[in-house]
Amino acid sequence: MTTRETVSEEFSAIAREAVKGEAGMSALALRAMARAPKDLRAGVPGLEAAMEKCAAYLVSLQQADGGIVNPGAGLTTYRTSITIMALQSMD
């Protein structure tokens, strides 16, 4: 298996897990994928769609006070800031 195939499989696994739940971990995964070289991302089927789904999930977590966090999870400033960095990386 080539390095590209290994990275492709790892990104696919990360994308599947990222859309399942915790805001901070999802944002970290999204940011890593968004900052990967475009040619590497292009080799991962469904990655862009998974990234869009993850971004939409994170945006859906925005609270009335502007924080982006799973309700009751705590670490609001950390989770909000990493989410903002992840979303910015997608531009």
Side-chain angles (χ1 to χ4, degrees):
M1 181 176 291
T2 68
T3 301
R4 182 176 295 274
E5 290 169 335
T6 301
V7 170
S8 176
E9 286 183 19
E10 289 175 5
F11 271 179
S12 294
I14 290 168
R16 283 190 301 275
E17 290 301 312
V19 298
K20 288 185 180 177
E22 202 278 318
M25 296 308 251
S26 295
L28 286 171
L30 178 60
R31 185 166 189 258
M33 290 182 283
R35 293 178 55 102
K38 288 185 188 246
D39 64 324
L40 185 61
R41 289 190 345 227
V44 182
L47 180 63
E48 296 299 322
M51 289 170 59
E52 290 295 331
K53 185 176 179 182
C54 184
Y57 167 72
L58 290 168
V59 169
S60 77
L61 293 176
Q62 187 170 11
Q63 305 299 306
D65 65 0
I68 301 172
V69 64
N70 301 86
L75 298 174
T76 303
T77 303
Y78 161 75
R79 288 185 171 105
T80 299
S81 65
I82 194 66
T83 297
I84 290 169
M85 289 192 299
L87 294 173
Q88 183 275 332
S89 293
M90 290 188 65
D91 288 340

